[in-house]
Amino acid sequence: MALSGMRGLSVFISDVRNCQNKEQERLRVDKELGNLRTRFKNEKGLTHYEKKKYVWKMLYIYMLGYDVDFGHMEAVSLISAPKYPEKQVGYIVTSCLLNENHDFLRLAINTVRNDIIGRNETFQCLALTLVGNIGGREFAESLAPDVQKLLISSSVRPLVRKKAALCLLRLYRKNPDVVNVDGWADRMTQLLDERDLGVLTSSMSLLVALVANNHEAYWSCVPKCVRILERLIRNQDVPQEYTYYGIPSPWIQVRTMRALQYFPTIEDPNTRRSLFEVLQRILMGTDVVKNVNKNNASHAVLFEALALVMHLDAEKEMMSQCIALLGKFIAVREPNIRYLGLENMTRMLMVTEVQEIIKRHQAQIITSLKDPDISIRRRALDLLYGMCDVSNAKDIVEELLQYLSTADFAMREELSLKAAILAEKFAPDLSWYVDVILQLIDKAGDFVSDDIWFRVVQFVTNNEDLQPYAALKARSYMDKPATHETMVKVSAYILGEYGHLLARRPGCSPKEIFIIINEKLPAVSTSTIPILLSTYAKILMHAQPPDKELQSQIWAIFSKYEGCIDSEIQQRAVEYHALSRKGAALMDILAEMPKFPERQSSLIKKTEDSEADTAEQSAIKLRTQQQTSNALVVTDQLPANGTQPVGQLGIVKVPSMSNTDDNTSEQGVTRENGILTVIDSQPPSTVSPDLLGDLLGPLAIEGPSVTAHRSEPSVASGEPSGIRADALAIEPVEELANNVQPIGDIAERFHALIVKDSGVLYEDPYIQIGIKAEWRSHQGRFVLFLGNKNVAPLLSVQAMILPPSHLQIELSLVPETIPPRAQVQCPLEVINLRPSRDLAVLDFSYKFGIHVQVNVKLRLPALLNKFLQPISLSAEEFFLQWRSLSGPPLKLQEVVRGVRPMPLAEMTNLFNSLRVMVCPGLDPNANNLVASTTFYSESTRAMLCLMRIETDPADRSQLRMTIASGDPALTFEFKEFIKEQLVDIPILSAPMPPQAQPISQPTTAASDPGDLLAGLLN
């Protein structure tokens, strides 16, 4: 194709438009890019006119979405062209293709400056536009004085000055030092007297940026801003071209009121009175009309005025007027206006005096809770939560509970949390609080965090009068045929502790309570079984004189779980079995849980901290908020005199990682002045004996690759004498070995995390890497705990995830340095795209001192079974699905040899721990097992998986396995995964003898991490 004349560009555009598909378009574009490369190689023979034609084509190709990685120099060179057409192309294409950090842009600084200080206004506008779009720090340092001269010059036309104001705004944002506060404040005040509204609009944008950083220097601008508002709103001294749908220049109004919000207050009474008159006019003159564009403009002005009214702490009468206006907004049909009304009424809650006025609109707000638009429902929920107090808590909480049954799944978790907090903060009486929380668990168990049921336990424990009532309510919920697992946990715990108080009531004898709880045992997960075992031990203790039949039934359950693969279940079963044989001594050992010492609710405190960080305390704070890193660094605080022991290490939980916080399991609740206060049984001076003490088990993967040399002994000069480093498993800095070996068995730790969701991922003398995970359908959330065990920092810390193709993983930034005895917590989001057994790898490295560099590759436990959810099927349901999946590839069968011999009960426990539920009684052969589960991924959604295991009693080292599902890939991957677990099972410790580790008190949720660690590695 001939490239002469602008006709070439028109022909090329026509060719692209006539392409039948994307592949043809790509071939045509590649051909044109090849022609352009050839032309640019002969650059010396190209004129400015020819470069302009080719650069236009480059820009068009770039606009189509293709990468243009050449020709940048030719585009920049056109900026220096003497004629306007070529110069215009150079500026436009450079602005589009390059960014502020591009090396070629530095070559144009002098040319751009010459255009700015020249006398050609057209060239000045081109140059200012370029700098205003992509100017960086180098442009700021070189061009700021010249741009300021243009802005304040009276001989320059307004067209150029308004571009200069926006250009200076860009340069100020890149380097605030370019504007001298002392010399510029007076000039800024003079600019606000500008009659041209174009220059005034740009200057007001510049003022907003200036006062956001330092309002003290610009107090003289406040009266001028008020006069501008008077000119626009009261006098309407505005040219017709700046009137938008009858509204005088709404852009200047918004920016002016926003600038005023950066000043703390307005002391001058005349200025304050004039401003409130203007704001009153805005409030009185704003209404909802049919024209969408006029609504948008008038509401933008109105909501900025509302923010300014709140900021200036206006009189109650004006605040009432604002709320009345917003009340009209939340009642209109237009969803956008309703949303804005709810959002701004939520902001108004920060003003204490008007909360009673907002309550008048409670009925309408509750109606918005059922709006079809989820964003409106969220705003209504936030508003109800904020306006709740003792006077209306009952009504609001009951509405939330009623709405919970029909609410979207996306809202249920937030809804449950807020209802629980409101019930706790404003409970009118103790029994009402228990009723609300149990209803909450019953209606939305999947979305109720463990923190909430921990709170009920703590609350009941600290109030003796409430214990019989709570036990009776728990008993009534256990009668339901379908009981959520969280309800099973809380009911079992309460009935275990206080069920004996109901002994005289019908249906509440120890045996009857045991029977109804034991009916739930086959359907619960491994995390609930320890709680049920503790309940059985308590029931046996209270059944005095002992019921032989009840005793034998409970002993049979303890014997069943003594060989469980889960270390905590195994330990509890062994110890309870031994303790239950001690007769009367059992009463002393398993006495009631003591009351919890007073401490503020961690849930309420965490919520208040979160609200303090994110709430719009004022319009200024909202606009000046800065995003922070997701990684949390937690350090110990040693006093200068060294009197505090090393054990005082503060561990901070990661917000929103998981609804389960193990540390809260030892907390309680007290009630004072109508407010519930959560208290903690652990004294402030007591901490976990490990940096990652809240994790529940050991785990490590892959050995480290270490580069280390001998070094001189190093001693931390600030370390006080007498500190025992082993108090927190902290290794002192001493002479380094020639290599760094991991602590603990690598394979055994990885296998432990196949069935557990928390543990130590890797540990060596310098660092401890822990993991804590939560799984829901096809999504997972990790937190990596990086704990520095030494008194010197870890440097050059780097972490990178190498995900397999079937997992989508996002890791937050990891700090390059981990301070001494500190812990960094890094969130990690996982999405399962399709079935696969491939594992993600964490590539982690760090340096210790100048001689040790460690690099490890750790397999992350995002295995296939983490995306399983056990499901119980009846015989009819199972065989209906089994018959519908006939033959390969949906149904696969294989004889597996080399299986570690194990009894069927142990194999059943193994499958249950892998989240595959064994369905007893479905297979007529007693030597066979039938199981079912549901697999979740983005491609398969919820997919049912069925399994049949046929064993030979004469030869336990082999079995026949049949797997069926609705997806061929899932069937194969699930079959291979189960086979791997049967063939390669880690050999855990034998059941511990009863006298090995006697326990003094069963816990509600998590046992002491040290005991669990010993139990797993014993």
Side-chain angles (χ1 to χ4, degrees):
M1 184 189 72
L3 292 175
S4 59
M6 292 303 291
R7 178 176 169 275
L9 177 61
S10 302
V11 172
F12 172 59
I13 293 174
S14 299
D15 290 347
V16 170
R17 289 180 176 176
N18 293 331
C19 291
Q20 299 297 318
N21 51 50
K22 192 68 177 176
E23 183 61 24
Q24 286 185 10
E25 179 184 295
R26 187 185 62 79
L27 292 174
R28 181 66 185 88
V29 168
D30 286 346
K31 178 182 177 182
E32 194 63 37
L33 288 174
N35 291 336
L36 293 177
R37 287 181 187 273
T38 303
R39 294 290 181 176
F40 286 150
K41 285 182 180 178
N42 303 322
E43 181 188 358
K44 293 182 179 178
L46 295 179
T47 63
H48 286 306
Y49 176 73
E50 291 173 323
K51 286 183 183 178
K52 179 191 73 171
K53 296 185 299 183
Y54 304 148
V55 168
W56 269 133
K57 287 188 178 182
M58 283 172 46
L59 181 60
Y60 182 71
I61 292 172
Y62 176 79
M63 291 169 61
L64 291 176
Y66 296 92
D67 289 334
V68 179
D69 55 0
F70 68 95
H72 299 162
M73 187 61 194
E74 285 74 13
V76 173
S77 67
L78 284 176
I79 293 177
S80 58
K83 297 183 179 179
Y84 173 77
E86 289 83 8
K87 185 182 288 288
Q88 179 199 34
V89 173
Y91 275 115
I92 292 175
V93 177
T94 300
S95 298
C96 293
L97 297 186
L98 306 187
N99 59 47
E100 62 182 83
N101 299 318
H102 204 287
D103 292 336
F104 284 160
L105 205 57
R106 298 190 182 96
L107 304 176
I109 290 180
N110 288 333
T111 303
V112 172
R113 182 175 184 273
N114 290 334
D115 286 339
I116 288 177
I117 63 178
R119 295 182 176 275
N120 190 318
E121 292 181 349
T122 306
F123 290 179
Q124 286 178 328
C125 290
L126 290 175
L128 292 171
T129 303
L130 171 78
V131 178
N133 285 328
I134 61 173
R137 288 188 66 90
E138 293 186 1
F139 277 90
E141 295 167 359
S142 303
L143 304 180
D146 300 315
V147 175
Q148 292 178 24
K149 290 178 182 178
L150 280 182
L151 177 57
I152 62 177
S153 175
S154 58
S155 61
V156 177
R157 289 178 57 194
L159 175 66
V160 179
R161 293 178 62 205
K162 70 179 182 180
K163 291 182 180 293
L166 295 177
C167 180
L168 184 59
L169 173 61
R170 166 82 181 197
L171 299 181
Y172 177 74
R173 287 172 175 168
K174 293 301 173 183
N175 184 7
D177 295 334
V178 299
V179 175
N180 188 344
V181 174
D182 296 333
W184 186 255
D186 294 337
R187 294 176 179 177
M188 192 71 241
T189 305
Q190 295 172 7
L191 284 174
L192 298 183
D193 291 328
E194 179 65 43
R195 295 298 301 174
D196 185 275
L197 290 189
V199 178
L200 187 58
T201 303
S202 301
S203 300
M204 195 58 69
S205 298
L206 176 60
L207 177 64
V208 170
L210 293 173
V211 297
N213 286 346
N214 180 13
H215 68 274
E216 294 291 343
Y218 297 95
W219 275 105
S220 58
C221 295
V222 172
K224 296 292 183 70
C225 289
V226 175
R227 289 196 195 102
I228 290 173
L229 291 175
E230 288 181 319
R231 169 187 170 188
L232 296 176
I233 297 168
R234 189 176 66 185
N235 302 333
Q236 300 208 355
D237 180 13
V238 181
Q240 184 61 36
E241 60 267 24
Y242 283 94
T243 302
Y244 183 78
Y245 286 92
I247 303 171
S249 189
W251 310 280
I252 299 183
Q253 292 188 47
V254 168
R255 286 185 174 89
T256 305
M257 288 186 284
R258 185 166 299 179
L260 289 172
Q261 292 173 60
Y262 287 100
F263 295 93
T265 184
I266 298 177
E267 301 293 346
D268 181 57
N270 294 328
T271 303
R272 185 179 177 88
R273 184 176 60 255
S274 299
L275 178 57
F276 278 123
E277 288 177 1
V278 170
L279 295 175
Q280 185 74 28
R281 283 177 174 267
I282 295 175
L283 297 178
M284 296 292 292
T286 304
D287 205 349
V288 178
V289 296
K290 291 185 178 181
N291 190 298
V292 176
N293 292 327
K294 183 171 183 179
N295 274 337
N296 290 340
S298 62
H299 294 161
V301 175
L302 172 66
F303 294 133
E304 205 66 50
L306 290 175
L308 184 56
V309 167
M310 285 189 290
H311 176 70
L312 296 176
D313 195 17
E315 291 78 5
K316 186 175 181 179
E317 183 179 351
M318 181 174 282
M319 301 296 289
S320 302
Q321 186 179 352
C322 293
I323 295 172
L325 186 59
L326 292 175
K328 294 180 181 179
F329 277 36
I330 64 176
V332 301
R333 296 181 59 184
E334 173 60 38
N336 290 334
I337 297 177
R338 287 204 308 278
Y339 179 92
L340 293 171
L342 290 168
E343 183 182 43
N344 282 274
M345 195 173 282
T346 305
R347 293 184 184 181
M348 299 290 287
L349 284 171
M350 297 174 202
V351 183
T352 309
E353 293 79 7
V354 299
Q355 290 184 356
E356 291 298 324
I357 306 174
I358 294 179
K359 289 180 185 178
R360 300 173 189 170
H361 303 276
Q362 180 173 317
Q364 185 62 45
I365 297 168
I366 291 174
T367 302
S368 299
L369 199 62
K370 302 167 186 175
D371 194 276
D373 191 327
I374 188 172
S375 60
I376 293 178
R377 295 199 296 272
R378 287 187 183 279
R379 297 289 75 78
L381 176 60
D382 291 340
L383 182 52
L384 283 173
Y385 177 74
M387 64 188 284
C388 187
D389 58 21
V390 177
S391 64
N392 60 0
K394 256 191 170 181
D395 295 335
I396 290 180
V397 171
E398 286 174 4
E399 286 289 343
L400 295 183
L401 288 174
Q402 182 179 353
Y403 173 57
L404 193 59
S405 303
T406 57
D408 291 354
F409 288 118
M411 285 187 63
R412 289 193 181 185
E413 185 171 355
E414 180 185 4
L415 193 61
S416 302
L417 179 63
K418 289 187 173 179
I421 292 174
L422 292 179
E424 180 178 333
K425 291 175 70 175
F426 306 114
D429 58 73
L430 307 178
S431 58
W432 180 80
Y433 173 74
V434 174
D435 287 341
V436 168
I437 300 302
L438 292 182
Q439 285 184 59
L440 200 61
I441 296 173
D442 185 50
K443 291 175 179 286
D446 284 332
F447 305 93
V448 175
S449 70
D450 281 355
D451 286 335
I452 295 174
W453 81 263
F454 290 166
R455 194 65 42 78
V456 178
V457 167
Q458 298 151 4
F459 188 37
V460 173
T461 301
N462 281 40
N463 294 274
E464 293 183 5
D465 296 340
L466 190 62
Q467 291 165 2
Y469 179 81
L472 187 61
K473 293 293 292 186
R475 173 67 179 81
S476 66
Y477 276 105
M478 291 296 281
D479 281 332
K480 293 189 175 184
T483 308
H484 192 272
E485 187 166 343
T486 304
M487 181 64 75
V488 173
K489 290 179 182 179
V490 65
S491 298
Y493 182 90
I494 292 176
L495 289 172
E497 292 288 337
Y498 311 112
H500 63 283
L501 301 177
L502 308 177
R504 296 183 180 180
R505 293 178 179 268
C508 295
S509 66
K511 186 173 183 178
E512 289 170 315
I513 290 177
F514 165 75
I515 291 173
I516 197 169
I517 293 177
N518 198 46
E519 289 175 355
K520 314 296 182 183
L521 179 61
V524 300
S525 64
T526 55
S527 64
T528 306
I529 294 175
I531 299 174
L532 298 188
L533 295 181
S534 299
T535 300
Y536 296 158
K538 294 275 187 174
I539 291 174
L540 200 58
M541 176 191 70
H542 290 301
Q544 299 295 337
D547 183 329
K548 296 298 182 182
E549 183 182 355
L550 175 62
Q551 189 179 66
S552 62
Q553 289 177 331
I554 293 178
W555 281 357
I557 294 173
F558 289 158
S559 299
K560 172 185 175 182
Y561 286 105
E562 283 180 350
C564 180
I565 192 173
D566 186 278
S567 62
E568 183 175 357
I569 296 175
Q570 179 193 93
Q571 181 174 340
R572 291 199 187 202
V574 169
E575 296 181 352
Y576 288 150
H577 200 176
L579 290 170
S580 61
R581 297 178 183 273
K582 293 186 178 295
L586 188 64
M587 297 290 292
D588 297 327
I589 298 172
L590 296 182
E592 279 189 13
M593 290 290 289
K595 291 186 177 182
F596 299 95
E598 184 173 352
R599 187 178 178 185
Q600 183 190 2
S601 164
S602 63
L603 186 61
I604 293 179
K605 185 177 185 301
K606 183 167 67 176
T607 306
E608 289 173 350
D609 292 343
S610 175
E611 289 175 351
D613 290 338
T614 60
E616 298 168 280
Q617 299 293 342
S618 66
I620 298 174
K621 288 187 178 180
L622 174 66
R623 281 183 285 276
T624 56
Q625 268 183 343
Q626 298 294 326
Q627 292 183 347
T628 58
S629 170
N630 288 332
L632 301 182
V633 180
V634 187
T635 60
D636 60 335
Q637 302 297 328
L638 289 176
N641 59 11
T643 56
Q644 182 180 351
V646 177
Q648 306 297 324
L649 177 68
I651 300 296
V652 176
K653 293 295 180 183
V654 176
S656 75
M657 155 56 200
S658 171
N659 293 330
T660 303
D661 185 343
D662 295 320
N663 287 350
T664 62
S665 64
E666 298 296 336
Q667 293 178 347
V669 180
T670 60
R671 191 170 185 275
E672 183 179 355
N673 298 328
I675 303 298
L676 304 183
T677 305
V678 177
I679 51 184
D680 197 323
S681 66
Q682 191 177 25
S685 60
T686 305
V687 295
S688 171
D690 197 297
L691 281 170
L692 304 179
D694 56 340
L695 301 181
L696 300 181
L699 168 70
I701 309 169
E702 303 300 352
S705 170
V706 184
T707 304
H709 308 280
R710 293 191 65 86
S711 67
E712 296 299 324
S714 61
V715 179
S717 59
E719 181 178 355
S721 60
I723 291 180
R724 294 199 312 109
D726 59 351
L728 275 172
I730 296 175
E731 298 289 340
V733 179
E734 55 187 24
E735 186 167 301
L736 299 178
N738 285 327
N739 52 52
V740 178
Q741 294 296 330
I743 299 174
D745 185 271
I746 295 174
E748 187 173 333
R749 287 184 168 184
F750 176 67
H751 282 294
L753 267 195
I754 294 178
V755 296
K756 295 173 64 175
D757 290 332
S758 56
V760 178
L761 192 63
Y762 169 81
E763 185 172 8
D764 61 32
Y766 309 109
I767 195 169
Q768 189 180 54
I769 303 177
I771 197 168
K772 198 167 187 176
E774 178 191 28
W775 306 95
R776 182 171 296 169
S777 67
H778 69 290
Q779 297 178 328
R781 290 185 289 177
F782 282 97
V783 167
L784 290 177
F785 295 79
L786 311 177
N788 183 356
K789 299 164 57 177
N790 285 272
V791 294
L794 299 181
L795 308 174
S796 301
V797 178
Q798 293 185 352
M800 181 175 65
I801 300 295
L802 307 176
S805 59
H806 76 285
L807 292 181
Q808 181 178 318
I809 301 181
E810 265 187 51
L811 174 66
S812 66
L813 292 177
V814 177
E816 292 188 1
T817 302
I818 302 180
R821 296 186 184 128
Q823 184 187 86
V824 175
Q825 303 176 9
C826 303
L828 185 71
E829 302 289 337
V830 181
I831 297 178
N832 186 27
L833 304 179
R834 60 182 180 277
S836 176
R837 289 170 295 121
D838 297 336
L839 291 176
V841 174
L842 171 65
D843 190 347
F844 184 81
S845 63
Y846 69 90
K847 291 181 181 179
F848 183 79
I850 59 174
H851 299 285
V852 177
Q853 180 172 346
V854 179
N855 179 259
V856 290
K857 289 183 171 58
L858 308 170
R859 289 177 289 169
L860 291 176
L863 296 95
L864 183 141
N865 69 304
K866 301 299 185 182
F867 305 104
L868 298 178
Q869 184 65 41
I871 182 173
S872 179
L873 299 178
S874 64
E876 182 182 354
E877 294 170 330
F878 183 90
F879 289 115
L880 179 65
Q881 296 292 334
W882 185 262
R883 295 189 195 99
S884 67
L885 302 169
S886 57
L890 298 181
K891 182 184 288 184
L892 299 176
Q893 189 175 86
E894 181 178 350
V895 175
V896 182
R897 294 179 174 83
V899 177
R900 184 174 71 86
M902 69 183 89
L904 285 181
E906 185 177 343
M907 188 178 293
T908 299
N909 289 336
L910 170 64
F911 290 146
N912 287 336
S913 66
L914 295 174
R915 307 187 184 190
V916 181
M917 178 172 287
V918 174
C919 306
L922 294 191
D923 198 307
N925 190 334
N927 295 313
N928 297 345
L929 292 179
V930 171
S932 59
T933 189
T934 305
F935 175 79
Y936 291 88
S937 72
E938 278 200 351
S939 62
T940 63
R941 298 300 175 186
M943 180 70 68
L944 185 65
C945 298
L946 306 176
M947 179 174 69
R948 186 186 186 201
I949 302 293
E950 301 169 83
T951 66
D952 182 1
D955 185 4
R956 292 289 186 183
S957 65
Q958 65 176 3
L959 52 81
R960 183 164 64 180
M961 176 172 57
T962 308
I963 303 292
S965 79
D967 181 77
L970 174 58
T971 302
F972 175 78
E973 294 291 344
F974 185 55
K975 176 181 73 72
E976 293 299 312
F977 175 78
I978 295 296
K979 183 170 69 173
E980 290 172 359
Q981 307 312 310
L982 292 171
V983 174
D984 185 22
I985 297 177
I987 302 176
L988 296 180
S989 59
M992 298 162 55
Q995 67 274 19
Q997 286 186 345
I999 61 177
S1000 59
Q1001 201 62 252
T1003 59
T1004 59
S1007 300
D1008 178 68
D1011 294 338
L1012 293 175
L1013 191 67
L1016 188 61
L1017 297 182
N1018 187 19

